[in-house]
């Protein structure tokens, strides 16, 4: 009995020990579960931290945003994957920083537009988020527009791009930076401001023959003066034709004709008589007529085969009445006179922008009497730019570069550029 009783006690103690063990195990289990629960919370928090977040500025619902403002899309806990900015049918371009966390728009925003930004970012854990925001730009009270004389046809190797503005432009550098050139052959040139309302582009040397040229002035949104914004863009394209250059000497009474970059003809001429001297300088042809009525003291004539190169009325034209003097003496009222056959031949070949250089005259050319941008040396041309930068253009577009980075020019005088010192004679 005792041993049974002892055995029963022993069994009871065993149960107690098991109970105690169970209690300890329960505590350990609770502790283990607690540890698992704590680890799970940390992992959830970690996963939440990896979800990317996007910040879009201007913020959703913003109105009257200035066109010069940037659109930015910033990603936290991830990188920017895609950004689409739409304003009607127009999209806004932009660039992402090297680390992928920031996207910025490029160029001014159009005025009076509603923009919608849709952006996506991705986190390192594979999570992606997409966010949309809309805002509108201001409607300016004062605006400016630009126009050009250029059509879409053929022009000579000296033709400048000329933009005219209906209001004075004070923030000229902003306008220059907003214009993109595209050329089928590589061209270097510069912008030049003639006052506040006329902007020229001229190559450093004559345009290469047969170059296709296009430009777009992205002026919508550009602040041309304080509170004055462009509201339209301007685009045009044209083609440079065969090189046709004439150099008329008032001293030798000869006109050399260079065609396709080679001396092609030498013709006898007569230029302005003393007191009516034909002015020195490198001009480009502007228009022509057959005939053109020419009036002056003591004469009123219908003149055949007339090609104009100054606003004041200087032409290369047929002077059938002075053929005997051509090649010997200057007898004209200021024009370059040549024979009917030569005048007709030149007239048929000429397109606007063909260079006409007059040399040897005691009279200097007048700035603005015609398209006189070739009166300027390269140094003076650059000085007239608001940025003082050169423009390098090619098939992929254009960019502003420091003039110090350019190589020396080896263009041959006369066919590649005006002869040295043969610029504006004051």
């Amino acid at each position: 009995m005792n041993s049974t009783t002892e055995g029963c006690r022993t069994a009871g103690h065993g149960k107690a020990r098991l109970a105690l063990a169970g209690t300890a195990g329960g505590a350990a289990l609770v502790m283990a579960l607690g540890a698992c629960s704590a680890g799970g919370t940390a992992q959830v928090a970690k996963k939440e931290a990896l979800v990317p977040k996007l910040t879009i500025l201007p913020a959703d619902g913003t109105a009257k945003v200035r066109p010069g403002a940037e659109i930015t899309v910033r990603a936290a806990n991830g990188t920017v994957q895609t950004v689409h900015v739409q304003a009607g049918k127009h999209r806004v371009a932009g660039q992402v920083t090297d680390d992928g966390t920031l996207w910025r728009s490029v160029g001014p925003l159009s005025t009076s537009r509603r923009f919608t930004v849709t952006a996506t970012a991705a986190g390192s854990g594979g999570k992606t988020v997409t966010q949309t925001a809309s805002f509108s730009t201001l409607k300016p009270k004062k605006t400016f527009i630009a126009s050009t004389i250029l059509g879409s046809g053929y022009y000579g190797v000296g033709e400048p791009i000329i933009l005219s503005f209906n209001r004075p432009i004070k923030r000229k550098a902003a306008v220059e930076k907003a214009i993109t050139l595209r050329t089928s052959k590589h061209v270097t040139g510069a912008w030049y401001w003639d006052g506040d309302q006329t902007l020229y582009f001229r190559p450093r040397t004559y345009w290469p023959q047969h170059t296709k040229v296009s430009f777009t002035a992205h002026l919508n949104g550009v602040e041309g003066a304080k509170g004055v914004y462009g509201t339209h863009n301007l685009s045009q394209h044209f083609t440079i034709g065969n090189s046709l250059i004439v150099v008329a000497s008032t001293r030798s009474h000869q006109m050399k004709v260079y065609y396709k970059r080679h001396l092609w003809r030498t013709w006898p001429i007569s230029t302005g008589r003393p007191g009516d001297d034909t002015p020195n300088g490198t001009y480009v042809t502007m228009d022509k007529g057959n005939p053109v009525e020419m009036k002056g003291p003591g004469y009123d004539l219908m003149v055949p085969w007339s090609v104009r190169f100054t606003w004041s009325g200087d032409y290369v034209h047929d002077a059938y009445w002075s053929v005997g003097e051509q090649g010997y003496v200057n007898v004209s009222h200021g024009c370059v006179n040549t024979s009917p056959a030569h005048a007709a031949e030149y007239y048929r070949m000429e397109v606007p922008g063909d260079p006409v250089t007059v040399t040897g005259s005691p009279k200097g050319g007048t700035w603005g009497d015609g398209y006189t941008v070739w009166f300027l040396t390269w140094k003076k041309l650059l000085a007239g730019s608001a940025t003082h930068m050169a423009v390098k253009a090619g098939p992929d577009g254009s960019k502003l570069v420091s003039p110090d980075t350019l190589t020396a020019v080896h263009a041959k005088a006369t066919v590649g550029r005006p002869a040295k010192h043969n610029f504006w004679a004051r």
Side-chain angles (χ1 to χ4, degrees):
M1 292 291 294
N2 289 339
S3 38
T4 303
T5 303
E6 186 69 24
C8 289
R9 282 197 195 101
T10 304
H13 288 309
K15 288 179 181 179
R17 285 196 295 271
L18 285 171
L20 289 171
T23 303
L29 181 62
V30 169
M31 290 176 66
L33 288 172
C36 289
S37 176
T41 303
Q43 287 176 5
V44 170
K46 187 176 181 182
K47 286 183 179 179
E48 286 179 353
L50 291 176
V51 174
K53 295 181 180 179
L54 284 167
T55 303
I56 301 174
L57 293 176
D60 187 43
T62 306
K64 297 182 180 180
V65 173
R66 293 173 68 86
E70 260 187 347
I71 302 173
T72 61
V73 177
R74 189 180 296 276
N77 304 325
T79 56
V80 177
Q81 298 298 297
T82 60
V83 178
H84 297 286
V85 183
Q86 205 78 25
K89 295 182 179 179
H90 303 283
R91 291 184 62 175
V92 176
Q95 295 178 338
V96 180
T97 54
D98 291 340
D99 63 3
T101 62
L102 179 64
W103 180 95
R104 288 191 179 99
S105 61
V106 176
L109 307 177
S110 298
T111 59
S112 311
R113 291 279 184 89
R114 182 175 180 80
F115 293 81
T116 299
V117 184
T118 304
T120 300
S124 59
K127 286 276 189 177
T128 62
V129 295
T130 298
Q131 190 169 316
T132 300
S134 294
F135 64 90
S136 58
T137 50
L138 63 79
K139 183 177 182 179
K141 294 180 180 179
K142 295 180 180 180
T143 64
F144 73 87
I145 59 172
S147 59
T148 181
I149 62 164
L150 291 166
S152 57
Y154 283 82
Y155 291 87
V157 297
E159 181 70 14
I161 294 173
I162 306 176
L163 301 182
S164 300
F165 298 87
N166 67 330
R167 283 178 178 266
I169 301 298
K170 299 301 183 182
R171 297 179 177 178
K172 296 180 172 70
V175 170
E176 289 181 33
K177 292 175 182 178
I179 306 173
T180 302
L181 292 176
R182 196 174 300 275
T183 56
S184 61
K185 301 180 181 183
H186 291 283
V187 172
T188 300
W191 294 104
Y192 181 89
W193 287 92
D194 185 13
D196 292 335
Q197 292 182 246
T198 303
L199 177 61
Y200 291 94
F201 174 83
R202 197 206 82 189
R204 188 178 186 182
T205 59
Y206 291 143
W207 294 98
Q209 296 183 100
H210 316 136
T211 303
K212 296 183 184 301
V213 184
S214 64
F215 67 88
T216 300
H218 304 273
L219 299 175
N220 195 339
V222 171
E223 192 172 18
K226 187 175 181 180
V228 182
Y229 290 91
T231 55
H232 298 280
N233 298 329
L234 175 66
S235 296
Q236 187 55 281
H237 61 90
F238 58 95
T239 302
I240 303 300
N242 293 322
S243 176
L244 178 64
I245 299 166
V246 297
V247 178
S249 171
T250 65
R251 292 179 182 173
S252 70
H253 316 297
Q254 302 286 318
M255 184 169 78
K256 294 184 181 297
V257 183
Y258 298 85
Y259 182 55
K260 295 184 179 180
R261 297 180 59 85
H262 297 284
L263 180 60
W264 182 64
R265 296 284 191 272
T266 300
W267 292 335
I269 58 170
S270 178
T271 58
R273 63 193 180 187
D276 289 326
D277 301 279
T278 309
N280 277 342
T282 294
Y283 308 84
V284 298
T285 58
M286 300 183 295
D287 56 48
K288 60 185 176 182
N290 181 35
V292 170
E293 185 177 14
M294 298 187 186
K295 292 182 179 180
Y299 68 93
D300 184 352
L301 297 171
M302 298 301 292
V303 181
W305 311 117
S306 298
V307 178
R308 186 174 194 160
F309 61 91
T310 72
W311 296 122
S312 60
D314 294 305
Y315 291 76
V316 176
H317 66 69
D318 169 2
Y320 54 85
W321 57 86
S322 70
V323 171
E325 288 84 9
Q326 292 166 19
Y328 301 103
V329 64
N330 294 327
V331 296
S332 82
H333 293 94
C335 292
V336 177
N337 292 355
T338 189
S339 71
H342 295 155
E345 193 167 16
Y346 177 66
Y347 182 97
R348 293 188 181 105
M349 297 168 66
E350 180 273 342
V351 296
D354 286 333
V356 173
T357 293
V358 177
T359 66
S361 175
K363 180 180 179 181
T366 301
W367 175 260
D369 188 11
Y371 301 143
T372 51
V373 71
W374 288 101
F375 282 10
L376 303 171
T377 63
W378 173 240
K379 185 177 180 180
K380 287 184 178 179
L381 188 72
L382 287 168
S385 163
T387 64
H388 305 304
M389 302 286 276
V391 178
K392 292 192 77 171
D396 296 327
S398 62
K399 60 182 179 180
L400 297 174
V401 301
S402 169
D404 295 335
T405 64
L406 301 177
T407 57
V409 170
H410 299 294
K412 189 176 179 181
T414 305
V415 294
R417 59 181 172 82
K420 192 175 182 180
H421 307 306
N422 191 31
F423 296 94
W424 186 8
R426 295 178 182 273

